[in-house]
Amino acid sequence: MNQPLQAVRGMNDILPDEAEAWEHFEDIVRDWLRSYGYRPIRMPIVEPTPLFKRAIGEVTDIVEKEMYSFEDALNGELLTLRPEGTASCVRAAIQHKILHAGPQRLYYHGPMFRHERPQKGRYRQFHQIGVEALGFDGPDIDAEHILMCARLWEDLGLEDVRLELNSLGSSDERARHRAELVAYLEAHRERLDEDGKRRLHTNPLRILDTKNPDLQDLVDQAPKLLDFLGAESLAHFEGVQVLLKDAGIPFRINHRLVRGLDYYNRTVFEWVTTRLGAQGTICAGGRYDGLVEQLGGKPAPAAGFAMGVERLLALWSESGGEPERAQPDVYVVHAGEPAQRLAFRAAEALRGHGFAVLTHCGGGSFKSQMKKADASGAALAVVIGDDEAAAGEVGLKPLRGPGGQQRVSLDGLAAAAAGYLFVEEEEEDGGL
């Protein structure tokens, strides 16, 4: 006997009950994004490996240890399953010259891939919703992105979510800070862990983001990037803060917030929670003004953010959010070949008028079918037997509340169903 196959570790099936929650969440997200004027874009899951090495950085954890990269056996091309969406989105914008039409507000959603140790909220195939604003300069778009997130948390009823904010300044300012930071860390090299020693001369900013409790005092005393910002960067950062304060959005400036991708500059932010254990970041982003030029396009400012769907859904559930299960309006019960043929006609007629209809398949007695009709959550059952089939009529039976079965013609079925369902909705709404 063949052994059953299992999904790849860290790449999970999303079964119907959970998938319905995902779809409900995605509907909320699409409406939210449209309300801010963002338009969808869809990029391939597989991209050339050099795209991510150039965009993310050769010495980042993602490129060094986490990417699923392989050589295409047919042509020798080096390819990678996308570990994030920003580089792909910018590549698409450059390739198709969409910035020629002016600044663009874009969003995408779908699977990303990183070879990490699977744990709650972190998987090897995970899903992100990404938002990118290409061609916009100034602090206003940075603030818009943060305000958008605050609006979504409110729409979802999320609790215990807070905003952390920082500025990474310009590349020149980071270079001056880097020199001071490396000198400081070199003076305390014996206190660094192995990861810190490895990053010291390749990506020292990431040492500031260490989770090692033994290093917290060391990094707290390290030179702060904010002290190296020039007038222009400080004005930009202050502009973001003013707009957030005007909107009543509380935040904390976190001098150790650096983000794990090389392309960020100026504003960076994270939305974090204590409800998901160690994986507390549910959304992160910032400005990346140099990336368009870095990937071969004409220089253009840019900013964006991404949120992890699995983490957001977990937090939504923690906060009491639970979408209603999708239920049909009508369940069609039938017995006998003539009744089955009429059942399919009746179901399609109802669907043509916008009703959700579940037609029983697989046979069974009227009693067993009615049990399934009741369990489906449908408000009405259409019942067809030999007598109904011979008369070209159907039985319409309420499954919720009072009322007996009535016989109606096929032509009058939609109106009769609507009359019952709409009356039920009005009663549930208090007659409004």
Side-chain angles (χ1 to χ4, degrees):
M1 180 178 177
N2 290 332
Q3 291 295 318
L5 297 174
Q6 302 287 322
V8 176
R9 184 167 181 258
M11 300 186 180
N12 302 321
D13 300 309
I14 302 172
L15 302 180
D17 285 347
E18 188 180 1
E20 286 180 341
W22 280 61
E23 290 198 344
H24 183 66
F25 171 76
E26 289 163 358
D27 288 342
I28 293 172
V29 166
R30 273 189 289 268
D31 289 343
W32 160 69
L33 288 164
R34 290 190 192 106
S35 75
Y36 283 88
Y38 284 76
R39 302 177 63 204
I41 184 172
R42 303 193 180 196
M43 302 87 66
I45 289 175
V46 178
E47 295 273 10
T49 299
L51 170 66
F52 301 113
K53 288 189 174 182
R54 195 189 306 181
I56 297 172
E58 292 271 7
V59 293
T60 58
D61 283 351
I62 294 174
V63 170
E64 287 183 330
K65 299 185 294 185
E66 297 172 1
M67 291 202 313
Y68 281 95
S69 298
F70 58 96
E71 181 178 324
D72 188 334
L74 296 179
N75 60 14
E77 188 177 6
L78 297 178
L79 303 175
T80 293
L81 295 176
R82 62 185 186 192
E84 58 96 46
T86 298
S88 294
C89 185
V90 172
R91 188 270 310 149
I94 296 168
Q95 181 176 340
H96 301 286
K97 301 180 175 61
I98 63 174
L99 285 174
H100 288 188
Q104 301 288 322
R105 285 178 164 94
L106 305 171
Y107 77 87
Y108 50 86
H109 65 91
M112 310 292 168
F113 303 85
R114 296 184 192 176
H115 193 278
E116 300 183 285
R117 182 171 65 85
Q119 53 191 295
K120 182 181 179 181
R122 175 171 286 184
Y123 307 106
R124 292 176 176 173
Q125 176 177 310
F126 58 101
H127 297 75
Q128 283 189 342
I129 294 161
V131 171
E132 315 291 355
L134 308 179
F136 294 90
D137 202 357
D140 49 358
I141 200 72
D142 305 20
E144 176 177 276
H145 284 172
I146 294 169
L147 294 177
M148 287 174 66
C149 294
R151 173 71 62 186
L152 181 60
W153 311 154
E154 183 179 340
D155 290 348
L156 294 172
L158 300 189
E159 300 174 355
D160 188 26
V161 180
R162 69 181 188 277
L163 172 64
E164 297 193 342
L165 195 66
N166 196 18
S167 175
L168 301 183
S170 68
S171 58
D172 290 342
E173 292 157 355
R174 285 199 305 280
R176 290 195 296 273
H177 171 254
R178 176 192 171 106
E180 292 286 335
L181 179 62
V182 170
Y184 168 81
L185 294 172
E186 279 282 15
H188 299 85
R189 185 182 180 90
E190 73 284 353
R191 293 187 56 189
L192 295 178
D193 57 17
E194 288 305 312
D195 193 53
K197 291 174 182 176
R198 181 177 63 85
R199 296 179 190 271
L200 182 55
H201 292 285
T202 56
N203 200 353
L205 272 182
R206 292 294 289 153
I207 300 175
L208 300 179
D209 198 31
T210 180
K211 302 300 186 290
N212 186 341
D214 296 332
L215 297 181
Q216 299 309 306
D217 180 62
L218 179 66
V219 298
D220 283 343
Q221 302 302 317
K224 293 178 172 55
L225 180 53
L226 196 64
D227 296 333
F228 292 79
L229 300 187
E232 189 175 345
S233 292
L234 285 171
H236 186 102
F237 194 39
E238 180 63 25
V240 175
Q241 295 176 65
V242 166
L243 291 170
L244 296 182
K245 290 173 183 176
D246 286 348
I249 305 296
F251 60 88
R252 179 177 79 93
I253 295 178
N254 179 358
H255 297 291
R256 293 166 53 184
L257 177 58
V258 296
R259 306 295 301 125
L261 307 175
D262 278 1
Y263 51 64
Y264 283 108
N265 72 306
R266 290 195 175 174
T267 309
V268 290
F269 65 88
E270 289 188 358
W271 290 92
V272 297
T273 181
T274 59
R275 289 181 173 241
L276 298 179
Q279 306 306 319
T281 301
I282 59 169
C283 175
R287 183 162 283 282
Y288 52 93
D289 292 329
L291 186 58
V292 177
E293 182 178 16
Q294 188 177 326
L295 295 181
K298 292 182 179 179
F305 63 89
M307 58 186 68
V309 175
E310 285 87 350
R311 294 184 194 180
L312 267 180
L313 286 170
L315 183 59
W316 191 23
S317 177
E318 283 275 334
S319 300
E322 187 174 340
E324 294 183 4
R325 180 184 172 190
Q327 296 176 332
D329 299 312
V330 181
Y331 192 103
V332 181
V333 172
H334 56 88
E337 183 180 346
Q340 182 185 54
R341 294 171 65 182
L342 183 57
F344 272 80
R345 289 170 56 201
E348 288 303 310
L350 287 168
R351 293 185 186 111
H353 284 83
F355 295 97
V357 183
L358 188 57
T359 304
H360 182 83
C361 292
S365 66
F366 273 123
K367 183 177 180 180
S368 66
Q369 289 188 46
M370 289 302 296
K371 284 183 179 180
K372 291 184 178 180
D374 187 59
S376 74
L380 288 170
V382 167
V383 182
I384 308 174
D386 290 337
D387 291 345
E388 289 83 5
E393 296 178 333
V394 303
L396 190 63
K397 179 177 177 60
L399 296 174
R400 311 280 177 255
Q405 182 169 318
Q406 58 176 307
R407 289 271 288 265
V408 298
S409 67
L410 192 59
D411 289 341
L413 175 58
Y420 179 83
L421 292 170
F422 293 157
V423 167
E424 286 289 300
E425 289 177 4
E426 289 177 1
E427 290 176 354
E428 290 175 5
D429 293 338
L432 298 178

